[in-house]
Amino acid sequence: MVCYQNYFYLPSYNSSIFHTCSFILNSKAINMSFARYKKKIEEGDTIILYLGYENMHAVTMKRGQTFQTKYGAMRHADVIGMDYGSKVQCPKGYLYVLQPTPDLWTQNLPHRTQILYATDISIVTMQLDLKPGSVVVESGTGSGSLSHSIIRTIAPTGHLHTFEFHQQRAEKAREEFWEHGLKEYVTVAHRDVCQDGFDLENIADAVFLDLPRPWEAMSSAKTAMKVTGGRLCSFSPCIEQVQRSCEYLRDLGFEEVTTMECLLRNFDVRTVNLPIVDMGPTGHPSKEDTSQNTDLKQEVTEQTTSQVKKLKSGNRDSTSQRELKNVPPCFDLIGKKESESFFFKTGITPTNMPGHTGFLTFATLYPS
Amino acid sequence: MASDTSAAGSIPDNLSTQHIIKEGDQVILKKGKNIKVFQIKKRRQVWLEKAKFTLDGTIGHPYGTTFEVKNGKMIKVEKSILPEKEALAEGGKDNRDLLDQDSNQKLTRDDIEKMKKDGIKGKEIIDQLIENSSTFQSKTVFAQAKWIKKKKIKHLLEFTILKPSARLLCEMHHTKNPSRICFMRVDSLAQILSRGNVRAHSTVAVVDTCMGLVVGAVMERLGGFGKVIHFHQGITPVRPAMDSFDFPAEILNNLYSYPLDRVNSIESDQTKPDISSGTKSSNGAACVEKSPGEISSQSFTEKLEDVSTPSQETGEDTSAQGDTAKSVDMSTPSQETTSNVENTEDGADDINSQEIPGCSENMEIEEEDKPVKTDMEQRKRKGIDRETNRQLREQKIQEARDVILEKNIDCLIVACKFHPTPIVLALLKYVAPSRPIVVFGQYKEPILDCYEYLRKDGGMVNYRVSEAWLREYQVMEMRTHPVISMSGGGGYLLTATTVAKSDTPK
């Protein structure tokens, strides 16, 4: 039978190169709320308090502690033992307790660095062909935003080797993975891969680089990749970095070098009430009167008429006739038209949105 | 398997069999942006890029190897160490003296065709074209590079053989038949999987009329751990895109199927209402039970033929069974999808007409030359009494039903051509609290509608309606800019997180 993927990966690195695990998590309970779905909240779990859209907090449960929300204090002890997804009544309002997903974690994690957000993370995961069993090399670890998503996708049979040149950050990340019950899927190393390389050979299905000078790590990244080939991704905010990275990748024998950018546009669903202008009774030939209308109303009129046209074309009945007779409003998919206004639901785009995060460069290494 | 080691002698020792191209494998042939899936069968002719050739030459080589078509055969291409650094030393200053004339190229079309027939390599043809071009030398260095690149796309018949993956299959269908996967762009699929938190050890419900592409992508992410329930249209699920993934049995074992036209009766469904339709199906190919293990060994085209039969029967069912009508009525009122029955048939025709001329021939060959892997099993199955098949199918549906009724689904994904609101409202109660749901749609309005209904219905938080935007870049020395053409839209997404049911204000 064809074996679909490498289920049994045994780390074959030389452990001495890794920063030794110096800290001990003494009495801290290790929660599994990240590793698998579970029903009840236990002490030690990191949970997400949902107060409203983009108003969330990640809190680790510990008896005796309270957490202050805008709805008042919430005692951890009251929440422990509850089902995930429950509604919690606070003095001045209610909130929901959610189980963290890598997505929610990305929205709520403590920032130690600039992080990768959900949109880019999803592209990276897909474009690197990640799945359970994949072995991934990542640098730098940063705040562990992408790392959590990688682990989610490659567990339980894959492994993430993540490298961070900032010692405290590396330790903090390691501590977090431990606390989140992800220890067995990840190896955190404190190391400057640009200077010292990854010191890994033929183990990786995919490599992710988020470095100021990614090209300095590319040759070593190539060595880290499996002989059967793999995918590489480099995330860079600046086009000059991309330019140089692509050159290096091609020189190293990587193929299918592709650079892309992905943005997410959110829609706010609203009901809009657009006034319909009074253009006076019909039959008056004076065109000059209308052209004198130079205020804002003019603009609205144009919009409205185009909307009405849309409505008309979409409706079998003549809307204008109904309007004249002042018959009850008609409905259709686009909106609801009354004598003085046009109501419709629409997805409104934000006036401001992130216009750029970084360029994602992907490349394939084929078996030589 | 015995055949693995026989063919090419150049396999490195440390490659395991899964990385070697074998007969019976579903493989991707990739030439730039052109991607197509084929099943490797000895002596079978395939048509691609106006060429007819066999894939026999690829057997025994590792995945990721590039081959050139020569005399109807696939020959491995030895890659030079420094590939694209061409000898582009000399070039003109600008194009002021270049005239667009047919006489610029001395070689005629017939000359080129003749060279191809004589089995001259694509690279040599391009060299000939350069030699016989009166303007090439006076082009700028960049223009020369662009010219060569264009000629390569046209004349080089080089294909890289890859293992199918969600990424490649989505790209392929999005380029070739976007309407059949609801215009789902690869970044949208990526979002669905991430936002749905699809991972090992979870139970995922997928409403998929995208040829099983989403089901396949989810199964890839589960890697054999967890369960997938495919809510499908018609009596038997048709998922050619999923079959291309070539999943082994242990992964397919986690796949359950449940017909959409029985969703309304999930709770009461003890009486097996399928009996009437089961008897009906005994006249067509659809009665061949597609148990997961079996389906993968069939070929793409073969299955597409089946598509029309079960969908017609769906139509018949509508008259026979009252509650089926609902699902039929749900079809999106667009020109492309007037009624789901018609649509499926159109789609099947679509593919068939898009298949290049050799298609029917391929299928004939296939008839004689059965797949090797699960061939015996399949033949045996075909022989099994139809009644047994029907019962087997019914048993599978009941298994799926049991999973659904546990009300512990970890993720609900709706990616279909139907209006999503009734589907989401019907299935939401089977999703556990604090879990993501993802609704994908080609059009914005139904997604907004679904959002409004769910807001009213309550029981969820963290709603978001979004659309992704994807732009590619050409990155070259002094020539970096966004790629000229880009996709205008890759679909809309609604995501939300479920909360405990007792809190549902209803």
Side-chain angles (χ1 to χ4, degrees):
Chain A
M1 202 58 236
V2 191
C3 186
Y4 182 59
Q5 63 220 356
N6 244 341
Y7 283 134
F8 309 105
Y9 162 68
L10 295 169
S12 57
Y13 48 78
N14 173 3
S15 59
S16 66
I17 58 144
F18 289 88
H19 178 84
T20 34
C21 192
S22 58
F23 62 92
I24 293 153
L25 295 145
N26 28 28
S27 62
K28 252 182 193 169
I30 289 159
N31 94 64
M32 298 297 287
S33 58
F34 277 84
R36 270 195 200 206
Y37 280 124
K38 54 193 252 181
K39 195 166 160 54
K40 294 209 181 299
I41 298 169
E42 292 171 272
E43 182 156 24
D45 280 10
T46 298
I47 67 165
I48 304 291
L49 303 182
Y50 181 90
L51 287 88
Y53 184 68
E54 287 186 351
N55 188 358
M56 289 179 265
H57 305 281
V59 185
T60 304
M61 291 293 102
K62 201 170 178 207
R63 271 178 217 282
Q65 288 192 350
T66 48
F67 185 81
Q68 291 298 332
T69 72
K70 68 170 182 179
Y71 299 132
M74 186 203 79
R75 293 197 312 163
H76 290 199
D78 293 346
V79 174
I80 294 168
M82 272 185 155
D83 283 359
Y84 275 109
S86 299
K87 191 177 181 177
V88 178
Q89 194 64 46
C90 288
K92 284 176 275 176
Y94 61 86
L95 50 85
Y96 290 95
V97 281
L98 303 178
Q99 181 164 358
T101 62
D103 230 30
L104 288 170
W105 180 246
T106 290
Q107 287 177 58
N108 295 291
L109 56 82
H111 285 219
R112 299 182 283 271
T113 55
Q114 184 63 258
I115 64 160
L116 249 83
Y117 290 97
T119 313
D120 287 324
I121 290 174
S122 67
I123 304 286
V124 169
T125 313
M126 169 65 84
Q127 290 286 335
L128 290 183
D129 296 338
L130 302 189
K131 57 193 175 194
S134 301
V135 177
V136 185
V137 172
E138 178 199 30
S139 184
T141 314
S143 307
S145 171
L146 173 66
S147 318
H148 275 81
S149 286
I150 293 178
I151 295 168
R152 177 259 317 268
T153 307
I154 63 173
T157 42
H159 199 82
L160 170 67
H161 297 270
T162 183
F163 294 81
E164 171 61 52
F165 73 165
H166 189 288
Q167 187 170 346
Q168 269 119 342
R169 269 185 230 148
E171 278 171 18
K172 192 76 192 121
R174 192 186 289 124
E175 202 177 323
E176 252 173 29
F177 294 135
W178 186 300
E179 276 179 42
H180 293 168
L182 304 172
K183 184 188 153 217
E184 57 184 302
Y185 310 118
V186 58
T187 308
V188 184
H190 167 226
R191 188 186 184 89
D192 181 351
V193 295
C194 291
Q195 248 176 47
D196 308 322
F198 293 99
D199 203 16
L200 295 172
E201 215 175 303
N202 301 337
I203 63 147
D205 294 292
V207 176
F208 177 83
L209 304 175
D210 180 1
L211 301 164
R213 288 178 304 281
W215 49 88
E216 291 179 354
M218 278 172 182
S219 169
S220 170
K222 187 184 173 184
T223 316
M225 289 169 94
K226 284 183 179 166
V227 281
T228 48
R231 296 272 289 169
L232 178 141
C233 174
S234 175
F235 174 92
S236 303
C238 304
I239 198 75
E240 288 82 0
Q241 295 168 302
V242 174
Q243 190 85 46
R244 200 143 171 199
S245 296
C246 288
E247 245 172 76
Y248 267 77
L249 285 170
R250 291 193 185 108
D251 286 353
L252 282 168
F254 282 87
E255 292 175 66
E256 313 274 351
V257 181
T258 327
T259 301
M260 60 184 81
E261 195 182 5
C262 188
L263 296 174
L264 202 72
R265 209 157 65 131
N266 288 320
F267 294 102
D268 199 1
V269 185
R270 295 254 186 85
T271 307
V272 181
N273 175 9
L274 211 61
I276 294 174
V277 75
D278 178 9
M279 291 185 285
T282 46
H284 281 251
S286 69
K287 282 172 190 168
E288 285 164 22
D289 281 359
T290 24
S291 62
Q292 275 166 9
N293 272 338
T294 45
D295 59 351
L296 258 173
K297 265 189 181 173
Q298 179 78 43
E299 229 174 89
V300 177
T301 319
E302 278 166 25
Q303 278 181 28
T304 317
T305 34
S306 70
Q307 291 285 1
V308 171
K309 266 183 207 160
K310 254 191 201 171
L311 256 179
K312 275 185 187 169
S313 60
N315 254 349
R316 274 170 210 151
D317 304 304
S318 162
T319 21
S320 56
Q321 269 184 1
R322 281 198 195 184
E323 193 193 324
L324 284 170
K325 287 176 197 160
N326 230 349
V327 287
C330 54
F331 298 85
D332 75 353
L333 283 170
I334 305 295
K336 173 177 150 187
K337 197 161 160 294
E338 288 172 348
S339 57
E340 283 183 350
S341 52
F342 175 69
F343 289 94
F344 60 99
K345 291 225 161 163
T346 186
I348 296 181
T349 51
T351 40
N352 263 305
M353 59 176 270
H356 179 64
T357 52
F359 298 103
L360 290 165
T361 300
F362 295 94
T364 308
L365 184 68
Y366 289 127
S368 44
Chain B
M1 276 173 213
S3 60
D4 295 349
T5 45
S6 58
S10 60
I11 313 160
D13 300 331
N14 44 2
L15 285 183
S16 66
T17 53
Q18 57 166 324
H19 297 113
I20 304 296
I21 303 162
K22 290 177 290 292
E23 183 161 20
D25 281 7
Q26 298 273 356
V27 301
I28 279 177
L29 265 68
K30 187 173 192 294
K31 181 192 158 191
K33 294 258 166 196
N34 191 0
I35 303 170
K36 202 159 165 79
V37 183
F38 289 100
Q39 187 172 35
I40 301 263
K41 280 179 188 170
K42 279 190 179 152
R43 294 175 301 281
R44 177 184 161 180
Q45 302 267 346
V46 299
W47 273 92
L48 193 56
E49 299 254 331
K50 293 176 201 152
K52 196 177 178 185
F53 51 96
T54 60
L55 300 174
D56 297 25
T58 66
I59 297 172
H61 289 282
Y63 278 98
T65 307
T66 303
F67 298 88
E68 181 173 12
V69 177
K70 211 175 163 188
N71 299 324
K73 290 196 176 99
M74 293 284 262
I75 312 287
K76 189 184 171 188
V77 175
E78 297 299 336
K79 280 177 186 159
S80 49
I81 300 121
L82 286 172
E84 297 304 310
K85 295 250 162 171
E86 315 263 337
L88 294 171
E90 302 275 310
K93 197 165 157 252
D94 53 38
N95 62 7
R96 74 183 73 192
D97 299 321
L98 293 182
L99 296 170
D100 189 11
Q101 290 168 331
D102 286 344
S103 58
N104 289 347
Q105 178 57 253
K106 285 179 213 83
L107 289 180
T108 63
R109 220 192 148 109
D110 294 341
D111 292 338
I112 298 166
E113 285 307 313
K114 191 174 176 298
M115 279 198 276
K116 279 187 183 170
K117 260 195 196 124
D118 295 347
I120 291 172
K121 277 191 170 179
K123 180 110 185 49
E124 284 158 27
I125 294 178
I126 291 165
D127 288 343
Q128 285 286 314
L129 284 169
I130 294 173
E131 229 168 81
N132 287 286
S133 164
S134 57
T135 51
F136 184 82
Q137 297 307 328
S138 47
K139 284 178 197 283
T140 66
V141 179
F142 290 168
Q144 286 177 358
K146 197 171 169 184
W147 188 88
I148 290 176
K149 201 179 160 195
K150 262 170 136 176
K151 297 294 167 196
K152 269 187 179 167
I153 292 170
K154 201 164 169 194
H155 300 293
L156 264 192
L157 269 179
E158 285 187 4
F159 299 98
T160 305
I161 307 269
L162 299 170
K163 252 184 151 33
S165 67
R167 166 177 63 97
L168 292 167
L169 290 172
C170 186
E171 274 172 15
M172 177 184 88
H173 289 295
H174 191 259
T175 321
K176 293 222 156 71
N177 286 301
S179 68
R180 288 179 59 90
I181 56 163
C182 298
F183 291 82
M184 183 186 293
R185 208 172 46 206
V186 66
D187 54 314
S188 292
L189 179 59
Q191 301 272 340
I192 292 172
L193 298 170
S194 286
R195 307 263 286 274
N197 199 26
V198 175
R199 61 173 171 194
H201 299 301
S202 49
T203 304
V204 186
V206 188
V207 182
D208 175 346
T209 62
C210 302
M211 303 165 84
L213 178 69
V214 185
V215 172
V218 167
M219 287 168 72
E220 185 179 87
R221 290 283 175 96
L222 292 190
F225 308 94
K227 295 173 186 139
V228 187
I229 308 152
H230 178 201
F231 288 89
H232 60 86
Q233 183 197 2
I235 294 166
T236 47
V238 182
R239 338 171 239 248
M242 189 210 78
D243 300 331
S244 310
F245 279 88
D246 220 359
F247 290 123
E250 62 263 30
I251 285 185
L252 287 167
N253 283 340
N254 303 317
L255 175 62
Y256 299 80
S257 305
Y258 196 86
L260 274 168
D261 61 13
R262 286 169 70 172
V263 164
N264 283 337
S265 55
I266 292 178
E267 313 268 352
S268 57
D269 194 4
Q270 299 289 356
T271 50
K272 307 188 180 182
D274 199 28
I275 285 165
S276 61
S277 49
T279 8
K280 223 168 251 171
S281 69
S282 56
N283 56 0
C287 63
V288 180
E289 167 60 23
K290 279 171 187 149
S291 81
E294 179 185 346
I295 203 162
S296 66
S297 59
Q298 286 185 306
S299 90
F300 193 66
T301 36
E302 207 176 23
K303 260 173 304 238
L304 279 167
E305 263 240 317
D306 291 350
V307 176
S308 54
T309 336
S311 63
Q312 266 169 348
E313 282 164 7
T314 320
E316 286 175 48
D317 279 353
T318 317
S319 52
Q321 260 175 278
D323 57 351
T324 359
K326 270 177 200 153
S327 78
V328 176
D329 285 341
M330 278 174 206
S331 60
T332 332
S334 80
Q335 287 169 332
E336 289 160 42
T337 54
T338 11
S339 112
N340 62 23
V341 178
E342 265 178 46
N343 187 36
T344 320
E345 281 169 348
D346 286 352
D349 287 348
D350 247 20
I351 280 261
N352 283 340
S353 57
Q354 285 213 1
E355 286 294 326
I356 24 314
C359 171
S360 56
E361 193 184 347
N362 289 347
M363 281 160 50
E364 279 163 35
I365 294 168
E366 220 170 281
E367 287 305 311
E368 306 152 7
D369 185 25
K370 286 282 171 192
V372 187
K373 243 201 286 182
T374 47
D375 181 20
M376 287 308 288
E377 196 194 341
Q378 193 181 337
R379 230 179 253 177
K380 234 199 272 170
R381 289 245 178 160
K382 273 190 180 168
I384 291 180
D385 180 21
R386 274 157 191 168
E387 180 59 20
T388 324
N389 274 328
R390 198 192 57 77
Q391 280 172 3
L392 205 74
R393 190 170 61 220
E394 187 56 39
Q395 189 194 324
K396 282 257 165 196
I397 291 174
Q398 291 304 329
E399 278 174 35
R401 187 174 158 265
D402 291 343
V403 178
I404 299 162
L405 287 177
E406 283 172 23
K407 301 202 173 191
N408 202 20
I409 288 170
D410 293 314
C411 171
L412 170 65
I413 296 171
V414 179
C416 67
K417 63 186 179 188
F418 300 112
H419 182 36
T421 311
I423 298 175
V424 178
L425 291 176
L427 296 177
L428 199 57
K429 53 177 170 287
Y430 305 109
V431 183
S434 191
R435 300 289 192 276
I437 71 144
V438 185
V439 184
F440 169 86
Q442 181 193 345
Y443 308 106
K444 189 162 91 181
E445 286 72 15
I447 296 289
L448 297 183
D449 179 77
C450 192
Y451 167 82
E452 285 291 303
Y453 268 94
L454 291 174
R455 287 294 303 246
K456 246 175 43 186
D457 221 49
M460 280 199 279
V461 294
N462 205 19
Y463 294 95
R464 187 201 293 235
V465 178
S466 63
E467 180 197 11
W469 177 93
L470 184 74
R471 178 180 245 181
E472 274 189 39
Y473 286 79
Q474 165 186 303
V475 183
M476 289 168 88
E477 196 195 344
M478 297 297 286
R479 285 157 287 173
T480 296
H481 60 71
V483 172
I484 308 293
S485 78
M486 68 181 274
S487 140
Y492 299 86
L493 276 186
L494 163 65
T495 52
T497 308
T498 57
V499 292
K501 304 288 190 300
S502 54
D503 299 317
T504 311
K506 206 187 168 181

